[in-house]
């Protein structure tokens, strides 16, 4: 038995029995569906490839034999096999999600809170140097601001995602049924029905998404999980702060989560996001949250059957009911008839009717804003508390209050983003021609966007849309430009409140960021906003472009330095700084576990506040299931509290002081290696040949083009397809390239090992690289790289991979990649052979499309090859569980 097969057998033995049973059940059902749909021959072909790729891992089957097997199939059969493996991965991912949820429930122990939970953080801070006083201070100022974005990194169609959720529900039903019962038999039948439908559902989109499709797709997460999970997260924090009295006293937990969104607001490089789209996006958001609040309010109202004699209404509540009766006598008469002598229930039913009227735009009955609704809820809560009904006041009613505080009537703040060059061009036109002169459509669109922001604020409140992000900010003039444009768009009394946020993306821009902020403070509009906001300033840091610009190692160090410099700048200017982290979902774009990344931030840069983008497939992964959504928010909340403690910051500060000179040596060498590669003659063309880069646009992943302009070079290529394409080649280059050369530049291995143990930032860098390396497959990667017909380029990449893998293992002290992360390691080991199957199918298509004979392909064969390629791309993304 080879070492590889031994590791796979070991991984298989470590799989929890319930997970193994679920994967077996779902896999057998898929086999039944394949047999019914395509006959025994289809299932046999799938099994042949499955056994072959497993055999290749232990050396009993050669790559050439697999290539011959795949090449022998008609293209239609190859597409069917690719779809089968893709569906298998969706089912395996679902089984793993269910295992994660089981594990979370098993570890839910109030006396011994699970690690990385809010309760664990509360305990640690309470037992720390600052004690209860520091805990109260941190909790009071705690903020988590996730921002959903529509970057095209979700390879699944919405129809596929909803099909998976239906299968998930049926799997739950099957588990909860008594085995052998008719209920279990029906759940089994329904599982087969839903898996059959998933098989028959196209994995590929035939039309490109428009921005409003993306809005609705993201809002599915709100409807399914986010809205209902949020109050449970706050309750968890409240219980940790005072376990004996939660639910019978005013809450000690603050509603610390505020969602934002770029979907429908981010027009940087996306001509399909217009002012009409932005306006409609906010309308759709409001519709969803008002429906959610209406349903929740009605549910609380119908259960709050407190009898007036036992729970008398307060004078304030009686006054509110009298006012309601005077304004809406017929409605109140109807409610009173259904709820006699139940004043609290009566008023909440009236509030429900007002929410419905707000959604339907009935001005006579509608709430003017969310604050008015919250005032009504607090009137009911205070009345219940005054009557001694504390459990009613601070139980489910408090959950509704938390939901209203978190989401308002707008759900998530819609943020606007545009490129600084677009503003500069618009200003040049306006200064020459004036707002009433002859303007280009793009300039008119800039002005219309600002007018729509004003409209949103008038209808939904300032908090619904006040942040305006400027991509590629190079100077304070780029910030001033937005305020000047607002002056052209509207008269002074109608201009929106704007917090203009600089986005620093490249390495050079990160280095120059403090100087830009100095210039911003001199702007009169900034000074006014500082006074109004309590001296709050927000700065966005772009991870994706900085990593693509200088490589993963140097980008990590530059971002760390930028955070440290910006935190020092904020202290000098007495500013409350929030750093907005533009992290991608993948490791090559700054992704990875947010909680670990938070604990590795520069000292003083968190300070109780964390804002981050959540993109593409990350949204479904984190918010697709309620238990996983709650765990994600708790993990981030835990990290925000812990990263803000003096103890964690001092550990980071002292380790950085000790090891930073060596990190600079690593970064310099790593950057040289990275730039030598991407600046090599013909690199861009070579990259296009060895990867499915040019074909990715046909996946129609999102409304946004893959490139900012018409140019075909790397500079114009967005970071998302850059990472996605490398992921497909199984090279994962953006997550590790240059690190080996960098580590080799420091000759003292024991020093590097000490740095890994003592410095969280350095440990995070190596752990993320280790994960990328574990998802890299050298053998498969060689075949992709060979497509470029540049052996010297292939050798350079593979040599750096070998060096990086060797040194990462030596520095971490691991015998094998992911040795200390057994759950992840097990998943990667078991998945890799099946991903290999899809890679072989993809290579068949790529080799044909890249060959000298490609021009002679018939239109039908070309179409089949392109569909095979795209099916395999979708499947590899599902198998590796990341795209870009």
């Amino acid at each position: 038995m080879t070492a590889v097969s031994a590791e796979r057998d070991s991984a298989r033995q470590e799989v929890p029995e319930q997970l193994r049973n679920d994967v077996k059940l779902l896999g057998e059902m898929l086999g039944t569906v394949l047999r019914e749909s395509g006959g025994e021959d289809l299932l046999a072909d799938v099994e042949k490839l499955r056994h072959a790729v497993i055999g290749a891992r232990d050396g009993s089957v050669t790559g050439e034999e697999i290539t011959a097997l795949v090449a022998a199939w008609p293209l239609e059969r190859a597409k069917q096999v690719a779809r089968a493996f893709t569906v298998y991965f969706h089912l395996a991912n679902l089984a793993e999600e269910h295992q994660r949820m089981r594990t979370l429930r098993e570890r839910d122990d109030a006396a011994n809170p699970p690690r990385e939970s809010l309760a664990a953080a509360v305990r640690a801070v309470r037992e720390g140097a600052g004690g209860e006083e520091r805990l109260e201070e941190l909790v009071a100022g705690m903020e988590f601001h996730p921002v959903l974005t529509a970057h095209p990194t979700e390879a699944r169609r919405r129809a596929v995602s909803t099909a998976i959720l239906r299968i998930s529900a049926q799997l739950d039903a099957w588990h909860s049924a008594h085995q052998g019962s008719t209920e279990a038999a029906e759940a089994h039948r329904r599982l087969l029905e839903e898996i059959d439908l998933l098989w028959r559902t196209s994995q590929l989109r035939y039309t490109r998404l428009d921005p409003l499709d993306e809005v609705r797709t993201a809002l599915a997460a709100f409807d399914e999980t986010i809205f209902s999970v949020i109050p449970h997260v706050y309750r968890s924090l409240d219980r940790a702060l005072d376990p004996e009295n939660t639910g019978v006293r005013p809450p000690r937990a603050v509603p610390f989560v505020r969602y934002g969104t770029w979907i429908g607001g981010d027009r940087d490089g996306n001509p399909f996001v217009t002012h009409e789209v932005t306006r409609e996006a906010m309308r759709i958001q409001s519709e969803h949250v008002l429906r959610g609040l209406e349903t929740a309010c009605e549910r609380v109202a119908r259960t709050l059957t407190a009898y007036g004699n036992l729970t008398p209404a307060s004078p304030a509540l009686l006054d509110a009911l009298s006012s309601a009766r005077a304004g809406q006598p017929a409605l109140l008469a109807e409610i009173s008839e259904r709820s006699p002598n139940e004043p609290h229930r009566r008023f909440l039913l009236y509030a429900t009717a007002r929410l419905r009227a707000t959604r339907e735009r009935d001005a006579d009955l509608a709430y003017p804003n969310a604050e008015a609704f919250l005032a009504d809820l607090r009137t009911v809560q205070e009345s219940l508390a005054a009557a001694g009904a504390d459990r009613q006041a601070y139980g489910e009613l408090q959950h509704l209050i938390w939901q209203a505080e978190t989401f308002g009537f707008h759900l998530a703040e819609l943020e606007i983003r545009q490129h600084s060059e677009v503003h500069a061009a618009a200003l040049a036109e306006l200064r020459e021609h004036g707002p009433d002169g002859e303007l280009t459509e793009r300039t008119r669109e800039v002005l219309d966007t600002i007018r729509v922001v004003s409209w949103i604020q008038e209808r939904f409140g300032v908090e619904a849309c006040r942040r305006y992000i400027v991509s590629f900010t190079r100077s304070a003039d780029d910030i001033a430009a937005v305020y000047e444009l607002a002056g052209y768009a509207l008269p002074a009394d109608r201009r929106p409140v704007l917090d203009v946020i600089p986005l620093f993306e490249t390495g050079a821009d990160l280095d120059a960021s403090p100087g830009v902020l100095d210039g911003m403070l001199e702007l009169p509009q900034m000074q006014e906003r500082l006074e109004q906001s309590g001296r709050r300033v927000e700065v966005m840091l772009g991870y994706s472009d900085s990593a693509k610009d200088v490589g993963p190692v140097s980008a990590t160090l530059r971002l760390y330095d930028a955070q440290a410099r910006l935190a020092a700048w904020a202290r000098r200017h007495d500013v409350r700084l929030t750093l907005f982290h533009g992290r991608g979902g993948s490791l090559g774009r700054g992704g990875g576990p947010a909680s670990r990344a938070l604990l590795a931030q520069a000292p003083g840069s968190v300070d109780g506040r964390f804002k981050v983008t959540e993109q593409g497939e990350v949204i479904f992964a984190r918010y697709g299931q309620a238990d996983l959504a709650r765990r994600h928010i708790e993990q981030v909340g835990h990290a925000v509290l812990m990263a803000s403690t003096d103890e964690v910051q001092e550990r980071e500060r002292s380790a950085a002081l000790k090891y930073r000179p060596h990190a600079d040596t690593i970064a310099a060498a790593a950057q040289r290696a990275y730039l030598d590669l991407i600046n090599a003659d013909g690199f861009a063309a070579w990259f296009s040949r060895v990867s499915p880069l040019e074909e990715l646009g046909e996946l129609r992943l999102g409304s946004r083009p893959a490139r900012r302009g018409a140019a075909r070079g790397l500079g114009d290529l967005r970071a998302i397809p850059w990472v996605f394409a490398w992921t497909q080649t199984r090279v994962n280059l953006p997550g590790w390239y240059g690190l080996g050369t960098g580590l080799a530049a420091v000759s003292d291995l024991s020093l590097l090992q000490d740095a890994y143990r003592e410095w969280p930032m350095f440990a995070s860098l190596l752990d993320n690289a280790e994960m990328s390396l574990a998802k890299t497959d050298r053998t498969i990667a060689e075949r992709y790289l060979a497509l470029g017909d540049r052996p010297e380029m292939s050798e350079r990449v593979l040599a750096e991979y070998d060096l990086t893998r060797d040194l990462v293992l030596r520095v971490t002290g691991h015998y094998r990649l992911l040795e200390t992360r057994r759950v992840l390691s097990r998943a990667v080991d078991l998945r890799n052979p099946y991903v290999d199957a899809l890679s072989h199918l993809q290579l068949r298509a790529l080799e044909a499309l890249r060959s000298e004979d490609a021009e002679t392909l018939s239109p039908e064969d070309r179409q089949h090859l392109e569909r095979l390629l795209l099916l395999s791309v979708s499947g590899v993304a599902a198998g590796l569980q990341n795209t870009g």
Side-chain angles (χ1 to χ4, degrees):
M1 179 182 291
T2 67
V4 172
S5 60
E7 287 177 2
R8 180 174 169 79
D9 286 343
S10 173
R12 190 183 297 111
Q13 292 303 315
E14 290 180 12
V15 175
E17 182 179 5
Q18 186 65 70
L19 173 57
R20 190 183 305 119
N21 291 341
D22 282 354
V23 171
K24 181 181 178 183
L25 171 72
L26 296 172
E28 288 175 348
M29 287 184 167
L30 176 59
T32 298
V33 166
L34 294 179
R35 190 182 299 110
E36 292 172 350
S37 173
E40 291 288 350
D41 287 349
L42 173 58
L43 182 59
D45 284 341
V46 170
E47 285 297 295
K48 281 179 193 173
L49 183 54
R50 185 175 75 86
H51 287 297
V53 291
I54 291 173
R57 290 271 163 172
D58 63 22
S60 61
V61 177
T62 66
E64 290 77 13
E65 289 174 303
I66 300 175
T67 300
L69 171 66
V70 169
W73 289 329
L75 286 170
E76 188 59 40
R77 174 49 55 88
K79 289 194 297 181
Q80 290 177 318
V81 173
R83 189 184 312 126
F85 277 95
T86 301
V87 172
Y88 170 79
F89 277 127
H90 290 317
L91 297 175
N93 292 344
L94 177 61
E96 288 182 351
E97 280 188 355
H98 277 250
Q99 179 61 32
R100 285 181 62 200
M101 291 187 285
R102 278 191 293 270
T103 302
L104 289 173
R105 291 167 192 149
E106 290 166 3
R107 293 177 180 173
D108 188 7
D109 181 353
N112 299 290
R115 63 184 184 83
E116 296 186 354
S117 65
L118 285 166
V122 166
R123 174 180 289 183
V125 176
R126 184 174 269 150
E127 293 173 354
E132 193 72 27
E133 183 179 349
R134 179 59 174 154
L135 174 62
E136 290 184 6
E137 180 186 353
L138 285 176
V139 169
M142 181 181 178
E143 297 175 14
F144 173 38
H145 194 162
V147 179
L148 309 182
T149 77
H151 287 305
T153 59
E154 173 56 275
R156 282 178 299 208
R157 293 179 60 216
R158 185 178 175 186
V160 172
S161 296
T162 54
I164 293 168
L165 288 175
R166 291 195 302 272
I167 295 170
S168 176
Q170 293 307 318
L171 186 60
D172 276 335
W174 190 82
H175 281 306
S176 62
H178 177 66
Q179 295 307 301
S181 67
T182 55
E183 183 183 5
E186 176 61 11
H188 191 276
R189 184 196 70 78
R190 288 284 291 115
L191 264 174
L192 267 170
E193 179 184 353
E194 293 295 351
I195 292 172
D196 178 76
L197 185 56
L198 176 60
W199 163 253
R200 295 174 187 278
T201 299
S202 174
Q203 300 293 312
L204 304 176
R205 296 185 181 95
Y206 287 92
T207 58
R208 182 173 290 280
L209 285 173
D210 70 38
L212 294 179
D213 291 329
E214 294 171 327
V215 170
R216 295 184 180 96
T217 297
L219 288 181
F222 170 82
D223 295 338
E224 296 288 338
T225 61
I226 293 173
F227 185 74
S228 59
V229 158
I230 280 293
H232 294 289
V233 172
Y234 298 156
R235 181 64 71 186
S236 178
L237 177 58
D238 196 64
R239 182 179 295 109
L241 292 167
D242 181 9
E244 299 300 322
N245 297 305
T246 186
V248 294
R249 48 142 177 83
R252 292 180 59 186
V254 297
F256 64 88
V257 181
R258 290 293 184 277
Y259 279 87
T261 177
W262 281 10
I263 309 174
D266 179 12
R267 58 245 307 129
D268 176 14
N270 190 344
F272 305 109
V273 176
T274 63
H275 68 281
E276 293 100 333
V277 165
T278 299
R279 181 187 178 109
E280 183 64 10
M282 179 50 70
R283 193 200 63 75
I284 294 170
Q285 285 186 197
S286 180
E287 167 81 11
H288 277 255
V289 75
L290 285 168
R291 281 189 183 277
L293 290 170
E294 180 185 332
T295 300
C297 189
E298 183 171 31
R299 178 179 53 79
V300 174
R302 296 203 177 281
T303 59
L304 191 57
T305 54
Y307 188 51
N309 290 6
L310 290 175
T311 313
S314 67
L317 180 58
L318 291 173
D319 287 345
L321 282 167
S322 295
S323 297
R325 192 178 302 110
Q328 300 287 336
L331 176 61
L332 264 292
E334 178 190 343
I335 291 173
S336 298
E337 185 177 343
R338 286 184 285 141
S339 307
N341 203 17
E342 294 171 342
H344 300 91
R345 185 186 195 205
R346 195 181 309 159
F347 194 62
L348 284 181
L349 287 171
Y350 174 63
T352 301
R354 294 193 70 186
L355 286 171
R356 187 176 304 112
T358 306
R359 180 170 54 82
E360 295 173 351
R361 301 295 290 158
D362 179 354
D364 289 340
L365 186 57
Y367 278 111
N369 49 49
E371 288 70 28
F373 172 55
L374 274 167
D376 280 355
L377 294 183
R378 292 190 176 108
T379 296
V380 176
Q381 185 177 59
E382 290 162 6
S383 177
L384 287 166
D390 290 335
R391 293 192 184 279
Q392 307 309 315
Y394 303 115
E396 288 300 299
L397 178 58
Q398 181 59 50
H399 286 196
L400 177 58
I401 290 173
W402 276 330
Q403 286 170 319
E405 289 175 326
T406 299
F407 302 109
F409 284 177
H410 59 278
L411 193 153
E413 182 185 349
L414 184 55
E415 300 187 355
I416 308 298
R417 181 171 79 136
Q418 183 56 282
H419 199 290
S420 58
E421 291 180 0
V422 173
H423 297 148
L427 272 182
E429 281 188 40
L430 287 162
R431 288 166 180 167
E432 181 178 354
H433 302 294
D436 300 321
E438 186 175 339
L439 303 174
T440 61
E441 182 180 346
R442 189 169 74 168
T443 295
R444 289 196 302 272
E445 176 59 34
V446 170
L447 298 179
D448 285 339
T449 297
I450 293 171
R451 291 167 188 141
V452 164
V453 172
S454 178
W455 175 85
I456 290 172
Q457 291 186 1
E458 288 172 5
R459 179 166 169 181
F460 300 101
V462 169
E463 293 303 308
C465 185
R466 64 177 170 83
R467 288 176 167 89
Y468 196 120
I469 295 145
V470 181
S471 300
F472 285 91
T473 299
R474 302 284 165 80
S475 73
D477 290 342
D478 293 328
I479 305 302
V482 178
Y483 291 116
E484 186 177 346
L485 287 165
Y488 282 110
L490 290 163
D493 60 341
R494 292 192 52 215
R495 287 174 204 158
V497 174
L498 291 175
D499 286 326
V500 185
I501 298 167
L503 167 51
F504 301 112
E505 301 183 74
T506 67
D509 292 343
L510 289 168
D511 293 342
S513 57
V516 174
L517 296 184
D518 284 338
M520 283 175 56
L521 290 186
E522 297 176 6
L523 299 176
Q525 299 92 338
M526 277 294 299
Q527 293 170 4
E528 182 180 356
R529 284 300 295 147
L530 282 172
E531 186 175 343
Q532 294 168 349
S533 66
R535 298 193 64 76
R536 295 179 69 110
V537 170
E538 189 170 308
V539 174
M540 184 172 183
L541 305 176
Y543 285 60
S544 302
D545 283 286
S546 57
K548 178 171 161 280
D549 183 37
V550 296
V553 181
S554 187
T556 299
L557 267 292
R558 285 193 176 192
L559 283 160
Y560 184 87
D561 286 346
Q563 292 163 20
R565 288 195 300 270
L566 291 169
W569 174 89
R571 288 191 295 272
R572 287 197 306 273
H573 293 281
D574 188 28
V575 161
R576 289 192 66 200
L577 176 68
T578 297
L579 292 178
F580 181 7
H581 301 267
R583 292 159 51 88
S586 66
L587 296 168
R589 295 182 50 242
S595 54
R596 285 194 298 120
L598 255 169
L599 293 170
Q601 300 298 301
S605 63
V606 177
D607 198 23
R609 298 177 294 279
F610 184 57
K611 184 175 180 182
V612 65
T613 51
E614 298 195 317
Q615 303 177 0
E617 83 256 13
V618 169
I619 296 174
F620 190 84
R622 289 177 176 167
Y623 298 109
Q625 302 280 358
D627 288 342
L628 302 184
R630 178 176 172 181
R631 174 61 172 167
H632 165 60
I633 298 170
E634 284 222 22
Q635 283 182 304
V636 175
H638 168 276
V640 169
L641 288 173
M642 296 306 299
S644 304
T645 61
D646 294 339
E647 296 92 330
V648 169
Q649 292 184 73
E650 181 53 38
R651 182 184 66 187
E652 179 68 33
R653 186 179 293 109
S654 60
L657 189 65
K658 180 177 180 181
Y659 296 111
R660 185 49 200 268
H662 308 290
D664 287 337
T665 300
I666 294 169
Q671 182 174 331
R672 281 194 300 273
Y674 179 83
L675 294 180
D676 284 348
L677 175 70
I678 67 169
N679 291 331
D681 288 343
F683 175 83
W686 176 77
F687 174 47
S688 293
R689 285 190 59 81
V690 304
S691 73
L693 174 66
E694 299 307 324
E695 290 83 3
L696 291 180
E698 295 304 313
L699 268 177
R700 300 177 176 89
L701 299 182
S703 67
R704 192 176 178 206
R707 296 179 184 271
R708 285 191 165 90
R712 309 305 291 174
L714 284 183
D716 194 61
L717 180 67
R718 293 186 184 278
I720 294 166
W722 162 254
V723 174
F724 195 173
W726 278 119
T727 302
Q728 291 291 315
T729 66
R730 310 290 296 282
V731 178
N732 286 322
L733 180 144
W736 55 263
Y737 195 89
L739 178 59
T741 297
L743 293 173
V746 177
S747 57
D748 190 338
L749 178 62
S750 63
L751 183 144
L752 293 172
Q753 292 171 333
D754 289 343
Y756 177 73
R757 285 190 296 269
E758 298 173 20
W759 191 9
M761 191 284 296
F762 189 65
S764 178
L765 171 65
L766 264 65
D767 288 345
N768 284 342
E770 185 180 27
M771 197 184 308
S772 282
L773 290 165
K775 291 186 177 184
T776 298
D777 185 278
R778 194 185 194 285
T779 303
I780 299 287
E782 280 188 81
R783 283 194 60 194
Y784 279 94
L785 297 177
L787 293 173
D789 198 25
R790 294 278 301 274
E792 79 285 1
M793 297 286 280
S794 301
E795 289 168 11
R796 180 186 295 189
V797 170
L798 294 171
E800 183 66 26
Y801 165 79
D802 292 337
L803 179 63
T804 303
R805 186 181 188 279
D806 176 59
L807 287 176
V808 164
L809 288 174
R810 291 170 64 190
V811 172
T812 59
H814 297 164
Y815 168 72
R816 59 190 298 272
L817 294 171
L818 301 179
E819 180 181 326
T820 59
R821 303 172 70 182
R822 292 304 299 163
V823 173
L824 179 59
S825 174
R826 179 184 70 215
V828 171
D829 285 343
L830 293 176
R831 284 165 181 277
N832 271 342
Y834 300 108
V835 181
D836 294 350
L838 286 158
S839 293
H840 281 286
L841 288 161
Q842 186 178 119
L843 279 161
R844 174 183 174 179
L846 262 184
E847 286 170 347
L849 292 169
R850 298 287 188 269
S851 72
E852 294 179 356
D853 299 329
E855 295 300 321
T856 64
L857 289 169
S858 70
E860 183 181 5
D861 281 350
R862 176 173 288 278
Q863 183 181 43
H864 279 307
L865 286 165
E866 289 172 347
R867 302 301 288 177
L868 173 60
L869 176 62
L870 296 178
L871 276 167
S872 65
V873 165
S874 180
V876 170
L880 296 177
Q881 291 189 296
N882 66 280
T883 54

